[in-house]
PDB file of all heavy atoms in Angstrom:
ATOM      1  N   ILE A1596      76.470 -42.638  61.013  1.00 93.00           N
ATOM      2  CA  ILE A1596      77.089 -41.821  62.078  1.00 93.00           C
ATOM      3  C   ILE A1596      77.281 -42.699  63.314  1.00 93.00           C
ATOM      4  O   ILE A1596      76.345 -43.341  63.787  1.00 93.00           O
ATOM      5  CB  ILE A1596      76.169 -40.631  62.430  1.00 93.00           C
ATOM      6  CG1 ILE A1596      75.822 -39.854  61.145  1.00 93.00           C
ATOM      7  CG2 ILE A1596      76.834 -39.737  63.471  1.00 93.00           C
ATOM      8  CD1 ILE A1596      74.447 -39.280  61.166  1.00 93.00           C
ATOM      9  N   VAL A1598      78.396 -42.645  67.216  1.00 91.00           N
ATOM     10  CA  VAL A1598      78.649 -41.759  68.365  1.00 91.00           C
ATOM     11  C   VAL A1598      79.035 -42.626  69.564  1.00 91.00           C
ATOM     12  O   VAL A1598      78.246 -43.458  70.019  1.00 91.00           O
ATOM     13  CB  VAL A1598      77.382 -40.930  68.689  1.00 91.00           C
ATOM     14  CG1 VAL A1598      77.615 -40.103  69.949  1.00 91.00           C
ATOM     15  CG2 VAL A1598      76.992 -40.056  67.519  1.00 91.00           C
ATOM     16  N   VAL A1605      76.109 -37.670  76.268  1.00 85.00           N
ATOM     17  CA  VAL A1605      75.277 -37.369  75.084  1.00 85.00           C
ATOM     18  C   VAL A1605      73.838 -37.680  75.435  1.00 85.00           C
ATOM     19  O   VAL A1605      73.472 -38.833  75.676  1.00 85.00           O
ATOM     20  CB  VAL A1605      75.728 -38.218  73.870  1.00 85.00           C
ATOM     21  CG1 VAL A1605      74.781 -38.010  72.695  1.00 85.00           C
ATOM     22  CG2 VAL A1605      77.156 -37.864  73.500  1.00 85.00           C
ATOM     23  N   ALA A1608      68.495 -35.178  73.683  1.00 89.00           N
ATOM     24  CA  ALA A1608      68.307 -33.965  72.887  1.00 89.00           C
ATOM     25  C   ALA A1608      69.269 -33.918  71.720  1.00 89.00           C
ATOM     26  O   ALA A1608      68.916 -33.507  70.604  1.00 89.00           O
ATOM     27  CB  ALA A1608      68.463 -32.737  73.779  1.00 89.00           C
ATOM     28  N   ILE A1609      70.510 -34.317  71.952  1.00 89.00           N
ATOM     29  CA  ILE A1609      71.511 -34.258  70.880  1.00 89.00           C
ATOM     30  C   ILE A1609      71.128 -35.224  69.760  1.00 89.00           C
ATOM     31  O   ILE A1609      71.205 -34.890  68.560  1.00 89.00           O
ATOM     32  CB  ILE A1609      72.912 -34.585  71.439  1.00 89.00           C
ATOM     33  CG1 ILE A1609      73.308 -33.537  72.479  1.00 89.00           C
ATOM     34  CG2 ILE A1609      73.912 -34.646  70.300  1.00 89.00           C
ATOM     35  CD1 ILE A1609      74.661 -33.761  73.085  1.00 89.00           C
ATOM     36  N   LEU A1610      70.718 -36.416  70.132  1.00 89.00           N
ATOM     37  CA  LEU A1610      70.321 -37.379  69.094  1.00 89.00           C
ATOM     38  C   LEU A1610      69.096 -36.890  68.339  1.00 89.00           C
ATOM     39  O   LEU A1610      69.005 -37.024  67.110  1.00 89.00           O
ATOM     40  CB  LEU A1610      70.029 -38.743  69.713  1.00 89.00           C
ATOM     41  CG  LEU A1610      71.160 -39.742  69.742  1.00 89.00           C
ATOM     42  CD1 LEU A1610      71.769 -39.899  68.351  1.00 89.00           C
ATOM     43  CD2 LEU A1610      72.235 -39.399  70.741  1.00 89.00           C
ATOM     44  N   LEU A1611      68.180 -36.306  69.080  1.00 91.00           N
ATOM     45  CA  LEU A1611      67.003 -35.758  68.410  1.00 91.00           C
ATOM     46  C   LEU A1611      67.399 -34.670  67.427  1.00 91.00           C
ATOM     47  O   LEU A1611      66.874 -34.595  66.310  1.00 91.00           O
ATOM     48  CB  LEU A1611      66.026 -35.187  69.448  1.00 91.00           C
ATOM     49  CG  LEU A1611      65.019 -36.193  69.997  1.00 91.00           C
ATOM     50  CD1 LEU A1611      64.206 -35.583  71.104  1.00 91.00           C
ATOM     51  CD2 LEU A1611      64.106 -36.706  68.879  1.00 91.00           C
ATOM     52  N   ASP A1612      68.328 -33.800  67.872  1.00 90.00           N
ATOM     53  CA  ASP A1612      68.825 -32.777  66.947  1.00 90.00           C
ATOM     54  C   ASP A1612      69.404 -33.402  65.702  1.00 90.00           C
ATOM     55  O   ASP A1612      69.158 -32.942  64.577  1.00 90.00           O
ATOM     56  CB  ASP A1612      69.920 -31.955  67.652  1.00 90.00           C
ATOM     57  CG  ASP A1612      69.316 -30.760  68.374  1.00 90.00           C
ATOM     58  OD1 ASP A1612      68.115 -30.494  68.142  1.00 90.00           O
ATOM     59  OD2 ASP A1612      70.047 -30.105  69.132  1.00 90.00           O
ATOM     60  N   ALA A1613      70.193 -34.436  65.914  1.00 91.00           N
ATOM     61  CA  ALA A1613      70.813 -35.094  64.757  1.00 91.00           C
ATOM     62  C   ALA A1613      69.747 -35.620  63.810  1.00 91.00           C
ATOM     63  O   ALA A1613      69.841 -35.463  62.591  1.00 91.00           O
ATOM     64  CB  ALA A1613      71.708 -36.237  65.244  1.00 91.00           C
ATOM     65  N   ILE A1614      68.718 -36.259  64.385  1.00 91.00           N
ATOM     66  CA  ILE A1614      67.648 -36.794  63.538  1.00 91.00           C
ATOM     67  C   ILE A1614      66.960 -35.674  62.752  1.00 91.00           C
ATOM     68  O   ILE A1614      66.710 -35.775  61.545  1.00 91.00           O
ATOM     69  CB  ILE A1614      66.643 -37.580  64.391  1.00 91.00           C
ATOM     70  CG1 ILE A1614      67.294 -38.863  64.904  1.00 91.00           C
ATOM     71  CG2 ILE A1614      65.392 -37.909  63.596  1.00 91.00           C
ATOM     72  CD1 ILE A1614      66.489 -39.580  65.949  1.00 91.00           C
ATOM     73  N   GLU A1615      66.669 -34.554  63.468  1.00 91.00           N
ATOM     74  CA  GLU A1615      66.034 -33.428  62.787  1.00 91.00           C
ATOM     75  C   GLU A1615      66.904 -32.893  61.677  1.00 91.00           C
ATOM     76  O   GLU A1615      66.419 -32.564  60.586  1.00 91.00           O
ATOM     77  CB  GLU A1615      65.729 -32.301  63.787  1.00 91.00           C
ATOM     78  CG  GLU A1615      64.486 -32.542  64.615  1.00 91.00           C
ATOM     79  CD  GLU A1615      63.287 -32.879  63.758  1.00 91.00           C
ATOM     80  OE1 GLU A1615      63.053 -32.211  62.720  1.00 91.00           O
ATOM     81  OE2 GLU A1615      62.568 -33.841  64.089  1.00 91.00           O
ATOM     82  N   GLU A1616      68.215 -32.758  61.997  1.00 91.00           N
ATOM     83  CA  GLU A1616      69.135 -32.251  60.990  1.00 91.00           C
ATOM     84  C   GLU A1616      69.138 -33.146  59.767  1.00 91.00           C
ATOM     85  O   GLU A1616      69.141 -32.678  58.624  1.00 91.00           O
ATOM     86  CB  GLU A1616      70.543 -32.180  61.606  1.00 91.00           C
ATOM     87  CG  GLU A1616      71.435 -31.147  60.946  1.00 91.00           C
ATOM     88  CD  GLU A1616      70.922 -29.748  61.105  1.00 91.00           C
ATOM     89  OE1 GLU A1616      70.909 -29.232  62.235  1.00 91.00           O
ATOM     90  OE2 GLU A1616      70.497 -29.149  60.082  1.00 91.00           O
ATOM     91  N   LEU A1617      69.156 -34.460  60.000  1.00 91.00           N
ATOM     92  CA  LEU A1617      69.154 -35.395  58.875  1.00 91.00           C
ATOM     93  C   LEU A1617      67.878 -35.236  58.058  1.00 91.00           C
ATOM     94  O   LEU A1617      67.898 -35.214  56.819  1.00 91.00           O
ATOM     95  CB  LEU A1617      69.272 -36.833  59.378  1.00 91.00           C
ATOM     96  CG  LEU A1617      70.643 -37.233  59.939  1.00 91.00           C
ATOM     97  CD1 LEU A1617      70.549 -38.573  60.655  1.00 91.00           C
ATOM     98  CD2 LEU A1617      71.656 -37.311  58.801  1.00 91.00           C
ATOM     99  N   LEU A1660      73.754 -44.270  63.984  1.00 92.00           N
ATOM    100  CA  LEU A1660      72.658 -43.613  63.288  1.00 92.00           C
ATOM    101  C   LEU A1660      72.874 -43.771  61.781  1.00 92.00           C
ATOM    102  O   LEU A1660      73.851 -43.275  61.237  1.00 92.00           O
ATOM    103  CB  LEU A1660      72.641 -42.121  63.669  1.00 92.00           C
ATOM    104  CG  LEU A1660      71.389 -41.302  63.412  1.00 92.00           C
ATOM    105  CD1 LEU A1660      70.180 -41.937  64.061  1.00 92.00           C
ATOM    106  CD2 LEU A1660      71.580 -39.892  63.943  1.00 92.00           C
ATOM    107  N   LEU A1669      73.866 -34.761  53.510  1.00 92.00           N
ATOM    108  CA  LEU A1669      73.700 -35.187  54.898  1.00 92.00           C
ATOM    109  C   LEU A1669      74.963 -34.882  55.711  1.00 92.00           C
ATOM    110  O   LEU A1669      74.911 -34.345  56.824  1.00 92.00           O
ATOM    111  CB  LEU A1669      73.384 -36.691  54.939  1.00 92.00           C
ATOM    112  CG  LEU A1669      72.052 -37.110  54.297  1.00 92.00           C
ATOM    113  CD1 LEU A1669      71.940 -38.626  54.241  1.00 92.00           C
ATOM    114  CD2 LEU A1669      70.891 -36.526  55.053  1.00 92.00           C
ATOM    115  N   ASP A1670      76.103 -35.215  55.117  1.00 92.00           N
ATOM    116  CA  ASP A1670      77.352 -34.971  55.830  1.00 92.00           C
ATOM    117  C   ASP A1670      77.518 -33.491  56.142  1.00 92.00           C
ATOM    118  O   ASP A1670      77.829 -33.104  57.273  1.00 92.00           O
ATOM    119  CB  ASP A1670      78.515 -35.477  54.965  1.00 92.00           C
ATOM    120  CG  ASP A1670      79.819 -35.514  55.729  1.00 92.00           C
ATOM    121  OD1 ASP A1670      79.792 -35.238  56.949  1.00 92.00           O
ATOM    122  OD2 ASP A1670      80.845 -35.816  55.109  1.00 92.00           O
ATOM    123  N   GLU A1671      77.312 -32.640  55.141  1.00 92.00           N
ATOM    124  CA  GLU A1671      77.515 -31.213  55.345  1.00 92.00           C
ATOM    125  C   GLU A1671      76.534 -30.657  56.353  1.00 92.00           C
ATOM    126  O   GLU A1671      76.876 -29.770  57.144  1.00 92.00           O
ATOM    127  CB  GLU A1671      77.375 -30.478  54.010  1.00 92.00           C
ATOM    128  CG  GLU A1671      78.606 -30.682  53.140  1.00 92.00           C
ATOM    129  CD  GLU A1671      78.408 -30.136  51.740  1.00 92.00           C
ATOM    130  OE1 GLU A1671      77.299 -29.658  51.423  1.00 92.00           O
ATOM    131  OE2 GLU A1671      79.377 -30.189  50.964  1.00 92.00           O
ATOM    132  N   ALA A1672      75.295 -31.209  56.340  1.00 91.00           N
ATOM    133  CA  ALA A1672      74.313 -30.706  57.297  1.00 91.00           C
ATOM    134  C   ALA A1672      74.747 -30.988  58.728  1.00 91.00           C
ATOM    135  O   ALA A1672      74.537 -30.188  59.640  1.00 91.00           O
ATOM    136  CB  ALA A1672      72.954 -31.356  57.020  1.00 91.00           C
ATOM    137  N   LEU A1673      75.348 -32.150  58.916  1.00 91.00           N
ATOM    138  CA  LEU A1673      75.789 -32.490  60.273  1.00 91.00           C
ATOM    139  C   LEU A1673      77.030 -31.684  60.677  1.00 91.00           C
ATOM    140  O   LEU A1673      77.270 -31.450  61.867  1.00 91.00           O
ATOM    141  CB  LEU A1673      76.110 -33.985  60.345  1.00 91.00           C
ATOM    142  CG  LEU A1673      74.916 -34.920  60.175  1.00 91.00           C
ATOM    143  CD1 LEU A1673      75.392 -36.337  59.958  1.00 91.00           C
ATOM    144  CD2 LEU A1673      74.010 -34.829  61.386  1.00 91.00           C
ATOM    145  N   ALA A1674      77.801 -31.284  59.648  1.00 90.00           N
ATOM    146  CA  ALA A1674      79.089 -30.651  59.952  1.00 90.00           C
ATOM    147  C   ALA A1674      79.024 -29.147  60.067  1.00 90.00           C
ATOM    148  O   ALA A1674      80.042 -28.501  60.271  1.00 90.00           O
ATOM    149  CB  ALA A1674      80.098 -31.051  58.868  1.00 90.00           C
ATOM    150  N   ILE A1675      77.860 -28.534  59.947  1.00 90.00           N
ATOM    151  CA  ILE A1675      77.798 -27.063  60.008  1.00 90.00           C
ATOM    152  C   ILE A1675      78.275 -26.587  61.383  1.00 90.00           C
ATOM    153  O   ILE A1675      78.085 -27.290  62.389  1.00 90.00           O
ATOM    154  CB  ILE A1675      76.371 -26.526  59.752  1.00 90.00           C
ATOM    155  CG1 ILE A1675      75.372 -27.171  60.706  1.00 90.00           C
ATOM    156  CG2 ILE A1675      75.981 -26.754  58.314  1.00 90.00           C
ATOM    157  CD1 ILE A1675      73.988 -26.588  60.584  1.00 90.00           C
ATOM    158  N   PRO A1676      78.853 -25.409  61.406  1.00 89.00           N
ATOM    159  CA  PRO A1676      79.326 -24.888  62.696  1.00 89.00           C
ATOM    160  C   PRO A1676      78.167 -24.788  63.673  1.00 89.00           C
ATOM    161  O   PRO A1676      77.099 -24.275  63.355  1.00 89.00           O
ATOM    162  CB  PRO A1676      79.868 -23.487  62.355  1.00 89.00           C
ATOM    163  CG  PRO A1676      80.133 -23.528  60.886  1.00 89.00           C
ATOM    164  CD  PRO A1676      79.152 -24.490  60.290  1.00 89.00           C
ATOM    165  N   GLY A1677      78.335 -25.363  64.828  1.00 87.00           N
ATOM    166  CA  GLY A1677      77.270 -25.364  65.815  1.00 87.00           C
ATOM    167  C   GLY A1677      76.285 -26.472  65.594  1.00 87.00           C
ATOM    168  O   GLY A1677      75.275 -26.572  66.292  1.00 87.00           O
ATOM    169  N   GLY A1678      76.601 -27.335  64.674  1.00 88.00           N
ATOM    170  CA  GLY A1678      75.685 -28.416  64.346  1.00 88.00           C
ATOM    171  C   GLY A1678      75.933 -29.622  65.219  1.00 88.00           C
ATOM    172  O   GLY A1678      76.556 -29.554  66.293  1.00 88.00           O
ATOM    173  N   VAL A1679      75.463 -30.745  64.754  1.00 89.00           N
ATOM    174  CA  VAL A1679      75.477 -31.973  65.550  1.00 89.00           C
ATOM    175  C   VAL A1679      76.896 -32.394  65.889  1.00 89.00           C
ATOM    176  O   VAL A1679      77.222 -32.707  67.045  1.00 89.00           O
ATOM    177  CB  VAL A1679      74.754 -33.093  64.775  1.00 89.00           C
ATOM    178  CG1 VAL A1679      74.862 -34.394  65.532  1.00 89.00           C
ATOM    179  CG2 VAL A1679      73.309 -32.704  64.555  1.00 89.00           C
ATOM    180  N   VAL A1680      77.738 -32.400  64.876  1.00 90.00           N
ATOM    181  CA  VAL A1680      79.124 -32.845  65.118  1.00 90.00           C
ATOM    182  C   VAL A1680      79.779 -31.969  66.187  1.00 90.00           C
ATOM    183  O   VAL A1680      80.435 -32.450  67.125  1.00 90.00           O
ATOM    184  CB  VAL A1680      79.913 -32.818  63.793  1.00 90.00           C
ATOM    185  CG1 VAL A1680      81.387 -33.053  64.063  1.00 90.00           C
ATOM    186  CG2 VAL A1680      79.362 -33.871  62.860  1.00 90.00           C
ATOM    187  N   ASP A1681      79.624 -30.665  66.037  1.00 90.00           N
ATOM    188  CA  ASP A1681      80.186 -29.734  67.025  1.00 90.00           C
ATOM    189  C   ASP A1681      79.666 -30.040  68.415  1.00 90.00           C
ATOM    190  O   ASP A1681      80.425 -30.128  69.397  1.00 90.00           O
ATOM    191  CB  ASP A1681      79.793 -28.304  66.647  1.00 90.00           C
ATOM    192  CG  ASP A1681      80.879 -27.637  65.813  1.00 90.00           C
ATOM    193  OD1 ASP A1681      81.937 -28.270  65.619  1.00 90.00           O
ATOM    194  OD2 ASP A1681      80.660 -26.496  65.360  1.00 90.00           O
ATOM    195  N   THR A1682      78.365 -30.195  68.533  1.00 89.00           N
ATOM    196  CA  THR A1682      77.752 -30.390  69.840  1.00 89.00           C
ATOM    197  C   THR A1682      78.251 -31.665  70.498  1.00 89.00           C
ATOM    198  O   THR A1682      78.563 -31.681  71.693  1.00 89.00           O
ATOM    199  CB  THR A1682      76.226 -30.450  69.709  1.00 89.00           C
ATOM    200  OG1 THR A1682      75.789 -29.423  68.823  1.00 89.00           O
ATOM    201  CG2 THR A1682      75.551 -30.305  71.041  1.00 89.00           C
ATOM    202  N   VAL A1683      78.330 -32.743  69.723  1.00 89.00           N
ATOM    203  CA  VAL A1683      78.794 -34.009  70.314  1.00 89.00           C
ATOM    204  C   VAL A1683      80.232 -33.862  70.789  1.00 89.00           C
ATOM    205  O   VAL A1683      80.613 -34.335  71.862  1.00 89.00           O
ATOM    206  CB  VAL A1683      78.660 -35.159  69.293  1.00 89.00           C
ATOM    207  CG1 VAL A1683      79.305 -36.430  69.821  1.00 89.00           C
ATOM    208  CG2 VAL A1683      77.186 -35.408  68.990  1.00 89.00           C
ATOM    209  N   ARG A1684      81.058 -33.186  69.935  1.00 88.00           N
ATOM    210  CA  ARG A1684      82.481 -33.062  70.320  1.00 88.00           C
ATOM    211  C   ARG A1684      82.624 -32.266  71.605  1.00 88.00           C
ATOM    212  O   ARG A1684      83.541 -32.498  72.382  1.00 88.00           O
ATOM    213  CB  ARG A1684      83.257 -32.389  69.170  1.00 88.00           C
ATOM    214  CG  ARG A1684      83.333 -33.298  67.964  1.00 88.00           C
ATOM    215  CD  ARG A1684      84.703 -33.335  67.325  1.00 88.00           C
ATOM    216  NE  ARG A1684      84.723 -34.327  66.271  1.00 88.00           N
ATOM    217  CZ  ARG A1684      84.630 -34.041  64.957  1.00 88.00           C
ATOM    218  NH1 ARG A1684      84.526 -32.773  64.557  1.00 88.00           N
ATOM    219  NH2 ARG A1684      84.640 -35.011  64.088  1.00 88.00           N
ATOM    220  N   ARG A1685      81.678 -31.335  71.821  1.00 87.00           N
ATOM    221  CA  ARG A1685      81.775 -30.533  73.049  1.00 87.00           C
ATOM    222  C   ARG A1685      81.352 -31.333  74.263  1.00 87.00           C
ATOM    223  O   ARG A1685      81.702 -31.034  75.384  1.00 87.00           O
ATOM    224  CB  ARG A1685      80.915 -29.275  72.924  1.00 87.00           C
ATOM    225  CG  ARG A1685      81.753 -28.054  72.610  1.00 87.00           C
ATOM    226  CD  ARG A1685      80.953 -26.781  72.608  1.00 87.00           C
ATOM    227  NE  ARG A1685      80.832 -26.276  71.240  1.00 87.00           N
ATOM    228  CZ  ARG A1685      79.653 -26.001  70.680  1.00 87.00           C
ATOM    229  NH1 ARG A1685      78.541 -26.144  71.347  1.00 87.00           N
ATOM    230  NH2 ARG A1685      79.630 -25.552  69.449  1.00 87.00           N
ATOM    231  N   ALA A1686      80.522 -32.374  74.015  1.00 84.00           N
ATOM    232  CA  ALA A1686      80.130 -33.212  75.159  1.00 84.00           C
ATOM    233  C   ALA A1686      81.341 -33.992  75.642  1.00 84.00           C
ATOM    234  O   ALA A1686      82.131 -34.507  74.843  1.00 84.00           O
ATOM    235  CB  ALA A1686      79.018 -34.169  74.735  1.00 84.00           C
ATOM    236  N   ALA A1689      82.806 -37.700  74.431  1.00 88.00           N
ATOM    237  CA  ALA A1689      82.074 -38.334  73.303  1.00 88.00           C
ATOM    238  C   ALA A1689      82.774 -38.067  71.980  1.00 88.00           C
ATOM    239  O   ALA A1689      83.375 -37.015  71.797  1.00 88.00           O
ATOM    240  CB  ALA A1689      80.649 -37.800  73.252  1.00 88.00           C
ATOM    241  N   THR A1690      82.741 -39.039  71.099  1.00 90.00           N
ATOM    242  CA  THR A1690      83.280 -38.839  69.752  1.00 90.00           C
ATOM    243  C   THR A1690      82.186 -39.125  68.735  1.00 90.00           C
ATOM    244  O   THR A1690      81.235 -39.862  69.001  1.00 90.00           O
ATOM    245  CB  THR A1690      84.463 -39.797  69.476  1.00 90.00           C
ATOM    246  OG1 THR A1690      83.942 -41.135  69.537  1.00 90.00           O
ATOM    247  CG2 THR A1690      85.571 -39.586  70.453  1.00 90.00           C
ATOM    248  N   VAL A1691      82.379 -38.504  67.612  1.00 90.00           N
ATOM    249  CA  VAL A1691      81.393 -38.729  66.548  1.00 90.00           C
ATOM    250  C   VAL A1691      82.135 -38.937  65.231  1.00 90.00           C
ATOM    251  O   VAL A1691      83.161 -38.297  64.985  1.00 90.00           O
ATOM    252  CB  VAL A1691      80.414 -37.548  66.432  1.00 90.00           C
ATOM    253  CG1 VAL A1691      81.145 -36.246  66.132  1.00 90.00           C
ATOM    254  CG2 VAL A1691      79.357 -37.824  65.373  1.00 90.00           C
ATOM    255  N   GLU A1692      81.648 -39.861  64.480  1.00 91.00           N
ATOM    256  CA  GLU A1692      82.271 -40.119  63.192  1.00 91.00           C
ATOM    257  C   GLU A1692      81.163 -40.258  62.149  1.00 91.00           C
ATOM    258  O   GLU A1692      80.198 -41.008  62.329  1.00 91.00           O
ATOM    259  CB  GLU A1692      83.080 -41.407  63.281  1.00 91.00           C
ATOM    260  CG  GLU A1692      83.918 -41.672  62.043  1.00 91.00           C
ATOM    261  CD  GLU A1692      84.485 -43.073  62.088  1.00 91.00           C
ATOM    262  OE1 GLU A1692      85.231 -43.353  63.036  1.00 91.00           O
ATOM    263  OE2 GLU A1692      84.127 -43.880  61.200  1.00 91.00           O
ATOM    264  N   VAL A1693      81.326 -39.461  61.087  1.00 91.00           N
ATOM    265  CA  VAL A1693      80.308 -39.491  60.021  1.00 91.00           C
ATOM    266  C   VAL A1693      80.947 -40.105  58.785  1.00 91.00           C
ATOM    267  O   VAL A1693      81.954 -39.601  58.298  1.00 91.00           O
ATOM    268  CB  VAL A1693      79.803 -38.072  59.695  1.00 91.00           C
ATOM    269  CG1 VAL A1693      78.809 -38.131  58.540  1.00 91.00           C
ATOM    270  CG2 VAL A1693      79.156 -37.446  60.925  1.00 91.00           C
TER     271      VAL A1693
END
Side-chain angles (χ1 to χ4, degrees):
Chain A
I1596 307 146
V1598 175
V1605 174
I1609 298 180
L1610 266 308
L1611 272 174
D1612 270 349
I1614 291 169
E1615 281 308 315
E1616 206 63 67
L1617 288 169
L1660 198 55
L1669 295 173
D1670 191 5
E1671 284 172 357
L1673 293 167
I1675 55 175
V1679 175
V1680 171
D1681 266 356
T1682 316
V1683 172
R1684 292 224 174 101
R1685 258 185 250 126
T1690 63
V1691 59
E1692 188 190 299
V1693 177

